[in-house]
Amino acid sequence: MTINTLSQDGVQRQQMPCLTKMERMIISMQDPDMGIKLRNQRLLITVIPHAMTGIDIVEWLIKKFSISDEEALHIGQLFVKYGYIYPLKEPRNLILKADDSPYRFQTPYYWMSTRWPASELDYAIYLAKKNIRKQGELIEYEKECYNALHKRINHTWDFVVMQAREQLRASKQRRKADRIVLECQEQAYWLVTRPPPGTLDNIDYGPERRTMNTRVQLNAEFYKKEIEHNRISLARNRVKSSICLESYVKYCEQYQPHDPIMQGCLPSNPWITDDIMFWNMNSEAVAVPTKLRVECWSFSFMELLNDPMGRKEFLTYLEKEFSAENLCFWQACEDVRHGETSKIPEKVDEVYKQFLSPGASRWVNIDSKTMEKTLEGLKHPHRFVLDDAQMHIYFLMKKDSYPRYLKSELYKNLLARAIVPQETKKSVFPFMRRQRHSSPSPALATQTGEDDGKAKNSNSVKSNSGTASRL
Amino acid sequence: MGKDECKTMLDALNKVTACYRHLVIALGSTSDSQNLREELKKTRKKAQELAVANRTKLTTLLKDKSISKDDRAEYERLWVLFTSSMELLEVDMKRSLEIGQDFPLKVPTRHLIQTGMTGSTTTVAARAMSVQNMKYEADASIDTVDLKELETEIAQVDQMMEEMEMKVQVAPWAVEAKQEAGAELKSTVSVGNSSVGVISICEEEPKETVEGETGLMKVFAGIIFTAVLLIAGILGYLVINL
């Protein structure tokens, strides 16, 4: 077999949607009443029908879709770029000119298609044909491609030569006008699919994905699997969009005061004012947390656990309740899940000794079924062996300890102590105002210099130019 | 001999593949018609017959363990030619199915793409079938009926190619082509010269057409010159004799 660039599952590949749309438009252009006006192309002796001018195409697009001149020209360009229409005067220049330069439609076989990408064998045959016709006078890059292909698919080179000769002989059977059209079509196709170096490649097929079983046997087994798969997909749980949108709105309302972009952040946004108080006040080891942060812990258990300070507070609370081992166990399980693979066996061992073995120092209360399953799994420890136990403990904490924590004195005191930071006062004195921009590009600096000539007071000019010089 | 038989059969298959591709290119365009669909069907069937014949012949030859190394290399080369031909045929069949489905003939508003090709493809099909004239006997609904047959035939071809891959152990990369680069330029007198003038027309630059004209001029000048020479020779002879 040749080096087959056509993917083995060529049937399953989908045509790009934009190409399908373009095809539909091309077909609608063929309408005898509403389609494009076509003329004849005169070449010395032969007359070839079905040519149209660039301006015809643009006008038709404007009339049909009621769009502006510019947009019609742009869409027309796309047609030429993707090879649905090709120019007759300057074939190598794939642009649409809105004047009377002639164009013609491409035959469906040569339409751009992601389902049928051009193969190397085809290109080799085309180059061989061109070589024969031009008696060896190929263009530079074509010569290079030819030699490269000769090396790459050398084993079918005989076939390439044979097929090239035969295709030329077959085309000789047609009359002259058709032969000319055939050659122009083929040339246009290859100019689009194998563009000369230096021009843009119009289509990106994406990386080749070669599946393991390339040819699927369409037998009873296959269809049984398909039916099963579809049945499971049908039975999937679906939430009505009204319900899920409601909860989405609730979520947004709840979190809106906490969002720095929507609500602004106090004391001030560090990215704008260069003042890092905000980060300092919300760091892990701060004595007094901000009110927003403490409020956030009451939204969900995960929020509490994700905040290191929250986790510490919760641990203190659990110690008072004598159930701190739950949180420690949960943390240890997280460590196993997210840690290094090589250390997993020893970590799991530690966890077992500390939390799970009968008579352990910090024994956690897991129901018997989960315990049995976990102990079974410990014989062959892997990353997720403690998942069931961890989930059990997590839900235990969430249902039991967490609501009590939120009602506890500890939490309420912390909430009362929490501070609301003061917004930094914008200093009136102009030289104190530090209005730095985050991206100090020279273009921006020169532009601000220009803009300030139009409006704004002289103070901002001074401060801006000051910062620009500093940058 | 086995080899020559194989070669002629492969040549035939090659010819039919080239003609089939030519016909599929015309599908969906203004050269498309009832006749074209029938031609496609006939060419396809012929291609399949040839393919099966080739395959059986080559598999028996390759399965034979008692052949010499050179022979085996030659058969492997022929095998690679055969598989490449089949690949092209398979792709063309699939594409003709797709295009045939997109451009049905028996609809009230037929929108075939006006590509400028208006001639018929009878001669190409006749070449493929190796007959002088094509006879058309299909009924009106050939475009839809044929597509169903085409689907089954594609499945058959797929299956055949799979079997081929399994049964015959030929390493394609180990095969060396006999022709070197540029081999098509030799021994192609019939194909080359006559089409050169035609092709230059569809290239860019009007100067190409001028070249064609100066070629004509050259031929004219040559004819006139030889005529003058002849007349001069005859007059001279007469003068000398008289």
Side-chain angles (χ1 to χ4, degrees), chain A residues 265 267-280 424 432-440 467 470-471:
Chain A
C265 61
S268 60
N269 191 334
W271 296 111
I272 296 179
T273 57
D274 267 347
D275 176 24
I276 59 172
M277 271 254 284
F278 177 67
W279 290 329
N280 289 339
T424 48
M432 290 299 283
R433 218 169 39 178
R434 300 154 78 204
Q435 284 227 311
R436 288 204 195 153
H437 300 283
S438 56
S439 59
T467 52
R470 222 176 307 178
L471 296 166

Side-chain angles (χ1 to χ4, degrees), chain A residues 1-2 4 6 8 11 15 23 26-32 36 38 43-44 46 48-50 86 88-92 104-111 113 115-116 119 121-122 125 127-136 146-147 150 154-185 187 189 215 217, chain B residues 10-11 13-19 21-22 24-31 77 80-88 90-92 94-95 98-99 102-103 110-121 123-124 127 158 161-162 164-165 170 172-188 190-196 198-199 201-205 208-209 213:
Chain A
M1 302 291 174
T2 55
N4 205 352
L6 174 68
Q8 293 287 26
V11 188
Q15 176 77 316
E23 282 167 21
I26 292 279
I27 292 176
S28 68
M29 282 191 202
Q30 310 302 321
D31 194 312
I36 289 195
L38 295 171
L43 288 171
L44 287 185
T46 41
I48 308 178
H50 307 151
Y86 59 95
L88 296 173
K89 272 261 166 62
E90 288 171 34
R92 298 194 188 280
R104 192 172 276 136
F105 290 114
Q106 180 70 279
T107 184
Y109 186 81
Y110 285 141
W111 278 353
S113 177
R115 293 186 64 180
W116 309 105
S119 74
L121 188 59
D122 290 328
I125 294 174
L127 286 176
K129 277 202 281 188
K130 205 163 179 191
N131 210 9
I132 295 174
R133 285 201 318 242
K134 296 254 175 126
Q135 306 281 307
Y146 182 82
N147 293 331
H150 177 73
N154 186 280
H155 53 282
T156 48
W157 200 256
D158 293 338
F159 177 71
V160 169
V161 172
M162 273 166 65
Q163 185 67 208
R165 290 197 184 131
E166 271 305 323
Q167 283 188 9
L168 280 174
R169 285 188 203 130
S171 65
K172 281 197 81 186
Q173 303 293 323
R174 308 286 304 265
R175 51 172 221 216
K176 192 162 167 209
D178 288 346
R179 244 185 294 157
I180 297 176
V181 173
L182 274 170
E183 273 140 25
C184 292
Q185 275 177 359
Q187 186 193 44
Y189 173 67
R215 287 184 201 270
Q217 273 277 56
Chain B
L10 265 177
D11 280 338
L13 180 62
N14 187 36
K15 184 172 75 163
V16 175
T17 312
C19 293
R21 172 159 283 202
H22 192 96
V24 178
I25 290 177
L27 201 58
S29 68
T30 33
S31 317
R77 190 184 74 92
V80 169
L81 295 183
F82 175 57
T83 44
S84 318
S85 200
M86 286 312 294
E87 269 183 44
L88 279 193
E90 194 193 343
V91 169
D92 282 340
K94 288 187 178 155
R95 295 202 74 174
E98 202 189 324
I99 302 178
D102 286 336
F103 292 95
R110 202 157 85 163
H111 287 179
L112 295 172
I113 308 293
Q114 287 150 309
T115 52
M117 299 232 288
T118 43
S120 79
T121 43
T123 37
V124 178
R127 186 187 165 76
D158 267 343
M161 293 193 61
E162 241 191 279
M164 275 162 40
E165 271 178 72
V170 173
W173 49 88
V175 171
E176 265 189 51
K178 274 193 176 159
Q179 318 255 22
E180 71 276 4
E184 62 267 10
L185 292 174
K186 308 167 190 151
S187 75
T188 51
S190 58
V191 193
N193 297 329
S194 54
S195 337
V196 165
V198 173
I199 285 58
I201 286 167
C202 83
E203 293 289 325
E204 50 195 323
E205 274 85 3
E208 299 271 5
T209 54
E213 281 181 73

Side-chain angles (χ1 to χ4, degrees), chain A residues 305 311-312 315 325-337 390 397:
Chain A
L305 289 181
R311 216 187 274 194
K312 218 165 40 148
L315 190 65
E325 65 270 5
N326 287 339
L327 189 58
C328 296
F329 175 68
W330 184 87
Q331 263 180 267
C333 289
E334 281 288 289
D335 195 27
V336 169
R337 264 172 66 137
Q390 186 189 13
M397 286 196 287

